Amino acid sequence: MAAGDGGAAGGGSVAAGETGVGRAAAHGGGAPGGRPAPSAARRAAADPVKALMHRHRELCERAVDPLEIAAGLEAHGLTDRTAARFRHRDVFSLAEEMYARVPRDTDPAPHPADPPAPRARAASVVLALLPGALGAAAVAGLRLTDGRTRLTVAAVGVLAVTLALRAALRRGPLAATARTSGTWTCWLVGYALLGDGLLHAALAGGPDGLPDGTADGPWPVTVAPVLALALACAPAAASARLLAVRARRRLTASRGLADFSASVRPLLLGTFALFMVALTALAALTGAVLDEPAAYPQALTLGALLLLARLLTVHGHAYAPSLVLTAAATAEAAALAALFAGRLPGCGFLAAPVEALVAAWGPAGVPTVACGTGALILLVHATRRLTRASAHASTEQPR
């Protein structure tokens, strides 16, 4: 934990800052020239926790339980080693004392949040299932129509699935308050649908026409992995909820930051593995039903990338997912651009790396490398960020 390590390394400065002028201000004492009065300094030295409470007064006043204070202290760089300077064995114990000492005589006693209403939880489940259901309906419509009717069905299907996915990401365990990279996510999904076909056609000197919704047209369309991803919205929501609920329970039972991180890391990896198993099964199912290749590399790497990006965003870490999604989408776009730029006189060298990758792994190599690298980076980042107490205590109960 970068912030935690910083707090440990700078424990002396943190302790000094929170046992100096802040303590004098907490006691209301002062001396000419801004120096704390000797009596105030002696009282502060005898009660360092009070100075810490003054420094984090807003955090203490709005906290509904000690866990929020512990998470806030950790986010500000305090570690278990720093807590020892305040005569406590760990941050959790220090937070419990700070919470108990906050004056609450004039405030109503906080009550635990009511559990989500069954209707609200049922609505979240329906919203998670809706993208997959609409995606299956759109694919069925494409198989039963042709010509302009097929084009209309495709446009309506894309719009319906997009709106359903947008609704699913605004409510339930996948909801996030931070802004997300929706444009790049749409590009990645669009590439999974049309990119491999365009890449294959470009290598053959095409494309000779627009996509017609089939896998054997002049611009082949890969439907199976995209439908699998739409159906995987439900497992993704279940995984996010499982992680949030179990992590909150372990936060309550833990007695230190290191203890909590050690217990949550296997939970995070296990939740991620469960989603990948579900996505693998869905890719196999859609491939068999549609009589298309299951496209495991494209579906699994993109699914892993999108899930990890969403989990990090939901828990307050949106910058890294945005950066990685942008990089993956840019890599895919650059691969296509390089192929077409290589057709210009004297520019054949631009297409050489993409041609070599496709020769070794096929058209699937481009999205697999781009999304797989991004997913691996986010997985490492998630094992550092989502194993911190502050990533879970500040999150609302899953809806």
PDB file of all heavy atoms in Angstrom, residues 85-107:
ATOM      1  N   ARG A  85       2.496   5.198  18.088  1.00  0.00           N
ATOM      2  CA  ARG A  85       2.904   6.492  18.638  1.00  0.00           C
ATOM      3  C   ARG A  85       1.772   7.134  19.425  1.00  0.00           C
ATOM      4  O   ARG A  85       1.996   8.051  20.202  1.00  0.00           O
ATOM      5  CB  ARG A  85       3.354   7.423  17.515  1.00  0.00           C
ATOM      6  CG  ARG A  85       4.540   6.889  16.721  1.00  0.00           C
ATOM      7  CD  ARG A  85       4.917   7.842  15.598  1.00  0.00           C
ATOM      8  NE  ARG A  85       6.034   7.342  14.820  1.00  0.00           N
ATOM      9  CZ  ARG A  85       7.316   7.570  15.109  1.00  0.00           C
ATOM     10  NH1 ARG A  85       7.620   8.301  16.166  1.00  0.00           N
ATOM     11  NH2 ARG A  85       8.266   7.071  14.353  1.00  0.00           N
ATOM     12  N   PHE A  86       0.552   6.661  19.188  1.00  0.00           N
ATOM     13  CA  PHE A  86      -0.604   7.153  19.939  1.00  0.00           C
ATOM     14  C   PHE A  86      -1.060   6.136  20.979  1.00  0.00           C
ATOM     15  O   PHE A  86      -2.203   6.116  21.397  1.00  0.00           O
ATOM     16  CB  PHE A  86      -1.746   7.466  18.960  1.00  0.00           C
ATOM     17  CG  PHE A  86      -1.421   8.566  18.002  1.00  0.00           C
ATOM     18  CD1 PHE A  86      -0.881   8.271  16.750  1.00  0.00           C
ATOM     19  CD2 PHE A  86      -1.614   9.887  18.340  1.00  0.00           C
ATOM     20  CE1 PHE A  86      -0.559   9.289  15.863  1.00  0.00           C
ATOM     21  CE2 PHE A  86      -1.298  10.908  17.463  1.00  0.00           C
ATOM     22  CZ  PHE A  86      -0.765  10.603  16.222  1.00  0.00           C
ATOM     23  N   ARG A  87      -0.146   5.236  21.341  1.00  0.00           N
ATOM     24  CA  ARG A  87      -0.345   4.271  22.431  1.00  0.00           C
ATOM     25  C   ARG A  87      -1.437   3.255  22.107  1.00  0.00           C
ATOM     26  O   ARG A  87      -2.239   2.889  22.969  1.00  0.00           O
ATOM     27  CB  ARG A  87      -0.657   5.002  23.747  1.00  0.00           C
ATOM     28  CG  ARG A  87       0.411   6.016  24.133  1.00  0.00           C
ATOM     29  CD  ARG A  87      -0.022   6.866  25.292  1.00  0.00           C
ATOM     30  NE  ARG A  87       0.942   7.944  25.554  1.00  0.00           N
ATOM     31  CZ  ARG A  87       0.762   8.907  26.442  1.00  0.00           C
ATOM     32  NH1 ARG A  87      -0.354   8.949  27.142  1.00  0.00           N
ATOM     33  NH2 ARG A  87       1.679   9.841  26.610  1.00  0.00           N
ATOM     34  N   HIS A  88      -1.478   2.829  20.837  1.00  0.00           N
ATOM     35  CA  HIS A  88      -2.414   1.792  20.424  1.00  0.00           C
ATOM     36  C   HIS A  88      -1.672   0.775  19.575  1.00  0.00           C
ATOM     37  O   HIS A  88      -0.717   1.106  18.871  1.00  0.00           O
ATOM     38  CB  HIS A  88      -3.579   2.387  19.633  1.00  0.00           C
ATOM     39  CG  HIS A  88      -4.604   3.057  20.503  1.00  0.00           C
ATOM     40  ND1 HIS A  88      -5.663   2.383  21.049  1.00  0.00           N
ATOM     41  CD2 HIS A  88      -4.699   4.339  20.935  1.00  0.00           C
ATOM     42  CE1 HIS A  88      -6.392   3.221  21.774  1.00  0.00           C
ATOM     43  NE2 HIS A  88      -5.822   4.413  21.718  1.00  0.00           N
ATOM     44  N   ARG A  89      -2.150  -0.460  19.626  1.00  0.00           N
ATOM     45  CA  ARG A  89      -1.441  -1.526  18.929  1.00  0.00           C
ATOM     46  C   ARG A  89      -1.686  -1.503  17.419  1.00  0.00           C
ATOM     47  O   ARG A  89      -0.893  -2.047  16.652  1.00  0.00           O
ATOM     48  CB  ARG A  89      -1.847  -2.889  19.485  1.00  0.00           C
ATOM     49  CG  ARG A  89      -3.312  -3.242  19.268  1.00  0.00           C
ATOM     50  CD  ARG A  89      -3.665  -4.599  19.872  1.00  0.00           C
ATOM     51  NE  ARG A  89      -5.057  -4.939  19.680  1.00  0.00           N
ATOM     52  CZ  ARG A  89      -6.057  -4.540  20.444  1.00  0.00           C
ATOM     53  NH1 ARG A  89      -5.791  -3.745  21.492  1.00  0.00           N
ATOM     54  NH2 ARG A  89      -7.288  -4.886  20.197  1.00  0.00           N
ATOM     55  N   ASP A  90      -2.839  -0.915  16.972  1.00  0.00           N
ATOM     56  CA  ASP A  90      -3.141  -0.869  15.549  1.00  0.00           C
ATOM     57  C   ASP A  90      -4.120   0.267  15.282  1.00  0.00           C
ATOM     58  O   ASP A  90      -4.652   0.887  16.212  1.00  0.00           O
ATOM     59  CB  ASP A  90      -3.713  -2.210  15.049  1.00  0.00           C
ATOM     60  CG  ASP A  90      -4.884  -2.696  15.882  1.00  0.00           C
ATOM     61  OD1 ASP A  90      -5.790  -1.884  16.164  1.00  0.00           O
ATOM     62  OD2 ASP A  90      -4.907  -3.883  16.262  1.00  0.00           O
ATOM     63  N   VAL A  91      -4.350   0.530  14.007  1.00  0.00           N
ATOM     64  CA  VAL A  91      -5.240   1.623  13.598  1.00  0.00           C
ATOM     65  C   VAL A  91      -6.674   1.349  14.021  1.00  0.00           C
ATOM     66  O   VAL A  91      -7.412   2.257  14.388  1.00  0.00           O
ATOM     67  CB  VAL A  91      -5.142   1.838  12.078  1.00  0.00           C
ATOM     68  CG1 VAL A  91      -6.181   2.849  11.596  1.00  0.00           C
ATOM     69  CG2 VAL A  91      -3.753   2.325  11.699  1.00  0.00           C
ATOM     70  N   PHE A  92      -7.092   0.085  14.012  1.00  0.00           N
ATOM     71  CA  PHE A  92      -8.460  -0.244  14.384  1.00  0.00           C
ATOM     72  C   PHE A  92      -8.724   0.103  15.850  1.00  0.00           C
ATOM     73  O   PHE A  92      -9.769   0.655  16.195  1.00  0.00           O
ATOM     74  CB  PHE A  92      -8.721  -1.734  14.132  1.00  0.00           C
ATOM     75  CG  PHE A  92      -8.947  -2.078  12.697  1.00  0.00           C
ATOM     76  CD1 PHE A  92      -7.959  -1.869  11.751  1.00  0.00           C
ATOM     77  CD2 PHE A  92     -10.144  -2.605  12.269  1.00  0.00           C
ATOM     78  CE1 PHE A  92      -8.156  -2.174  10.423  1.00  0.00           C
ATOM     79  CE2 PHE A  92     -10.354  -2.922  10.939  1.00  0.00           C
ATOM     80  CZ  PHE A  92      -9.358  -2.703  10.017  1.00  0.00           C
ATOM     81  N   SER A  93      -7.777  -0.234  16.719  1.00  0.00           N
ATOM     82  CA  SER A  93      -7.940   0.081  18.137  1.00  0.00           C
ATOM     83  C   SER A  93      -7.967   1.593  18.347  1.00  0.00           C
ATOM     84  O   SER A  93      -8.763   2.113  19.139  1.00  0.00           O
ATOM     85  CB  SER A  93      -6.793  -0.552  18.938  1.00  0.00           C
ATOM     86  OG  SER A  93      -6.839  -0.148  20.287  1.00  0.00           O
ATOM     87  N   LEU A  94      -7.106   2.313  17.642  1.00  0.00           N
ATOM     88  CA  LEU A  94      -7.083   3.771  17.744  1.00  0.00           C
ATOM     89  C   LEU A  94      -8.412   4.362  17.268  1.00  0.00           C
ATOM     90  O   LEU A  94      -8.962   5.271  17.896  1.00  0.00           O
ATOM     91  CB  LEU A  94      -5.925   4.313  16.898  1.00  0.00           C
ATOM     92  CG  LEU A  94      -5.789   5.837  16.785  1.00  0.00           C
ATOM     93  CD1 LEU A  94      -5.595   6.466  18.151  1.00  0.00           C
ATOM     94  CD2 LEU A  94      -4.638   6.194  15.852  1.00  0.00           C
ATOM     95  N   ALA A  95      -8.946   3.834  16.187  1.00  0.00           N
ATOM     96  CA  ALA A  95     -10.217   4.337  15.666  1.00  0.00           C
ATOM     97  C   ALA A  95     -11.356   4.085  16.635  1.00  0.00           C
ATOM     98  O   ALA A  95     -12.267   4.915  16.772  1.00  0.00           O
ATOM     99  CB  ALA A  95     -10.516   3.679  14.322  1.00  0.00           C
ATOM    100  N   GLU A  96     -11.331   2.963  17.325  1.00  0.00           N
ATOM    101  CA  GLU A  96     -12.382   2.670  18.299  1.00  0.00           C
ATOM    102  C   GLU A  96     -12.380   3.693  19.427  1.00  0.00           C
ATOM    103  O   GLU A  96     -13.437   4.148  19.871  1.00  0.00           O
ATOM    104  CB  GLU A  96     -12.195   1.253  18.841  1.00  0.00           C
ATOM    105  CG  GLU A  96     -12.569   0.168  17.836  1.00  0.00           C
ATOM    106  CD  GLU A  96     -12.274  -1.221  18.361  1.00  0.00           C
ATOM    107  OE1 GLU A  96     -11.615  -1.313  19.433  1.00  0.00           O
ATOM    108  OE2 GLU A  96     -12.679  -2.207  17.725  1.00  0.00           O
ATOM    109  N   GLU A  97     -11.203   4.060  19.899  1.00  0.00           N
ATOM    110  CA  GLU A  97     -11.145   5.066  20.967  1.00  0.00           C
ATOM    111  C   GLU A  97     -11.609   6.419  20.451  1.00  0.00           C
ATOM    112  O   GLU A  97     -12.364   7.137  21.135  1.00  0.00           O
ATOM    113  CB  GLU A  97      -9.733   5.185  21.524  1.00  0.00           C
ATOM    114  CG  GLU A  97      -9.655   6.239  22.637  1.00  0.00           C
ATOM    115  CD  GLU A  97      -8.260   6.413  23.204  1.00  0.00           C
ATOM    116  OE1 GLU A  97      -7.407   5.551  22.961  1.00  0.00           O
ATOM    117  OE2 GLU A  97      -8.037   7.425  23.896  1.00  0.00           O
ATOM    118  N   MET A  98     -11.201   6.790  19.256  1.00  0.00           N
ATOM    119  CA  MET A  98     -11.606   8.080  18.706  1.00  0.00           C
ATOM    120  C   MET A  98     -13.113   8.139  18.517  1.00  0.00           C
ATOM    121  O   MET A  98     -13.753   9.147  18.813  1.00  0.00           O
ATOM    122  CB  MET A  98     -10.892   8.324  17.372  1.00  0.00           C
ATOM    123  CG  MET A  98      -9.389   8.509  17.512  1.00  0.00           C
ATOM    124  SD  MET A  98      -8.516   8.552  15.919  1.00  0.00           S
ATOM    125  CE  MET A  98      -9.164  10.082  15.228  1.00  0.00           C
ATOM    126  N   TYR A  99     -13.705   7.052  18.052  1.00  0.00           N
ATOM    127  CA  TYR A  99     -15.155   7.025  17.860  1.00  0.00           C
ATOM    128  C   TYR A  99     -15.878   7.121  19.197  1.00  0.00           C
ATOM    129  O   TYR A  99     -16.886   7.823  19.328  1.00  0.00           O
ATOM    130  CB  TYR A  99     -15.551   5.743  17.138  1.00  0.00           C
ATOM    131  CG  TYR A  99     -17.040   5.609  16.920  1.00  0.00           C
ATOM    132  CD1 TYR A  99     -17.676   6.302  15.895  1.00  0.00           C
ATOM    133  CD2 TYR A  99     -17.812   4.795  17.737  1.00  0.00           C
ATOM    134  CE1 TYR A  99     -19.032   6.202  15.686  1.00  0.00           C
ATOM    135  CE2 TYR A  99     -19.181   4.683  17.548  1.00  0.00           C
ATOM    136  CZ  TYR A  99     -19.786   5.390  16.520  1.00  0.00           C
ATOM    137  OH  TYR A  99     -21.138   5.279  16.331  1.00  0.00           O
ATOM    138  N   ALA A 100     -15.352   6.427  20.214  1.00  0.00           N
ATOM    139  CA  ALA A 100     -16.006   6.440  21.521  1.00  0.00           C
ATOM    140  C   ALA A 100     -15.914   7.802  22.197  1.00  0.00           C
ATOM    141  O   ALA A 100     -16.793   8.169  22.993  1.00  0.00           O
ATOM    142  CB  ALA A 100     -15.382   5.371  22.420  1.00  0.00           C
ATOM    143  N   ARG A 101     -14.884   8.581  21.866  1.00  0.00           N
ATOM    144  CA  ARG A 101     -14.688   9.861  22.544  1.00  0.00           C
ATOM    145  C   ARG A 101     -15.338  11.042  21.835  1.00  0.00           C
ATOM    146  O   ARG A 101     -15.300  12.155  22.339  1.00  0.00           O
ATOM    147  CB  ARG A 101     -13.181  10.127  22.690  1.00  0.00           C
ATOM    148  CG  ARG A 101     -12.511   9.160  23.661  1.00  0.00           C
ATOM    149  CD  ARG A 101     -11.011   9.355  23.715  1.00  0.00           C
ATOM    150  NE  ARG A 101     -10.633  10.693  24.140  1.00  0.00           N
ATOM    151  CZ  ARG A 101      -9.388  11.085  24.376  1.00  0.00           C
ATOM    152  NH1 ARG A 101      -8.389  10.216  24.203  1.00  0.00           N
ATOM    153  NH2 ARG A 101      -9.127  12.315  24.747  1.00  0.00           N
ATOM    154  N   VAL A 102     -15.944  10.804  20.676  1.00  0.00           N
ATOM    155  CA  VAL A 102     -16.627  11.895  19.982  1.00  0.00           C
ATOM    156  C   VAL A 102     -17.895  12.248  20.747  1.00  0.00           C
ATOM    157  O   VAL A 102     -18.713  11.369  21.036  1.00  0.00           O
ATOM    158  CB  VAL A 102     -16.978  11.498  18.543  1.00  0.00           C
ATOM    159  CG1 VAL A 102     -17.816  12.581  17.879  1.00  0.00           C
ATOM    160  CG2 VAL A 102     -15.713  11.265  17.737  1.00  0.00           C
ATOM    161  N   PRO A 103     -18.110  13.513  21.126  1.00  0.00           N
ATOM    162  CA  PRO A 103     -19.333  13.893  21.852  1.00  0.00           C
ATOM    163  C   PRO A 103     -20.570  13.652  20.987  1.00  0.00           C
ATOM    164  O   PRO A 103     -20.664  14.130  19.867  1.00  0.00           O
ATOM    165  CB  PRO A 103     -19.144  15.389  22.130  1.00  0.00           C
ATOM    166  CG  PRO A 103     -17.698  15.662  21.895  1.00  0.00           C
ATOM    167  CD  PRO A 103     -17.217  14.660  20.909  1.00  0.00           C
ATOM    168  N   ARG A 104     -21.534  12.901  21.518  1.00  0.00           N
ATOM    169  CA  ARG A 104     -22.753  12.596  20.770  1.00  0.00           C
ATOM    170  C   ARG A 104     -23.996  12.799  21.631  1.00  0.00           C
ATOM    171  O   ARG A 104     -25.036  12.221  21.341  1.00  0.00           O
ATOM    172  CB  ARG A 104     -22.712  11.155  20.253  1.00  0.00           C
ATOM    173  CG  ARG A 104     -21.500  10.862  19.397  1.00  0.00           C
ATOM    174  CD  ARG A 104     -21.470   9.421  18.930  1.00  0.00           C
ATOM    175  NE  ARG A 104     -20.216   9.126  18.263  1.00  0.00           N
ATOM    176  CZ  ARG A 104     -19.970   9.376  16.981  1.00  0.00           C
ATOM    177  NH1 ARG A 104     -20.908   9.916  16.235  1.00  0.00           N
ATOM    178  NH2 ARG A 104     -18.807   9.091  16.451  1.00  0.00           N
ATOM    179  N   ASP A 105     -23.868  13.630  22.707  1.00  0.00           N
ATOM    180  CA  ASP A 105     -24.993  13.794  23.617  1.00  0.00           C
ATOM    181  C   ASP A 105     -26.182  14.458  22.937  1.00  0.00           C
ATOM    182  O   ASP A 105     -27.336  14.111  23.186  1.00  0.00           O
ATOM    183  CB  ASP A 105     -24.566  14.624  24.837  1.00  0.00           C
ATOM    184  CG  ASP A 105     -23.491  13.897  25.636  1.00  0.00           C
ATOM    185  OD1 ASP A 105     -23.417  12.662  25.535  1.00  0.00           O
ATOM    186  OD2 ASP A 105     -22.742  14.596  26.327  1.00  0.00           O
ATOM    187  N   THR A 106     -25.918  15.427  22.075  1.00  0.00           N
ATOM    188  CA  THR A 106     -27.015  16.169  21.457  1.00  0.00           C
ATOM    189  C   THR A 106     -27.457  15.574  20.130  1.00  0.00           C
ATOM    190  O   THR A 106     -28.395  16.061  19.518  1.00  0.00           O
ATOM    191  CB  THR A 106     -26.576  17.626  21.212  1.00  0.00           C
ATOM    192  OG1 THR A 106     -25.425  17.628  20.358  1.00  0.00           O
ATOM    193  CG2 THR A 106     -26.248  18.319  22.514  1.00  0.00           C
ATOM    194  N   ASP A 107     -26.759  14.529  19.670  1.00  0.00           N
ATOM    195  CA  ASP A 107     -27.097  13.922  18.392  1.00  0.00           C
ATOM    196  C   ASP A 107     -27.835  12.618  18.631  1.00  0.00           C
ATOM    197  O   ASP A 107     -27.554  11.901  19.595  1.00  0.00           O
ATOM    198  CB  ASP A 107     -25.840  13.637  17.570  1.00  0.00           C
ATOM    199  CG  ASP A 107     -25.089  14.911  17.273  1.00  0.00           C
ATOM    200  OD1 ASP A 107     -25.744  15.963  17.189  1.00  0.00           O
ATOM    201  OD2 ASP A 107     -23.848  14.839  17.132  1.00  0.00           O
TER     202      ASP A 107
END
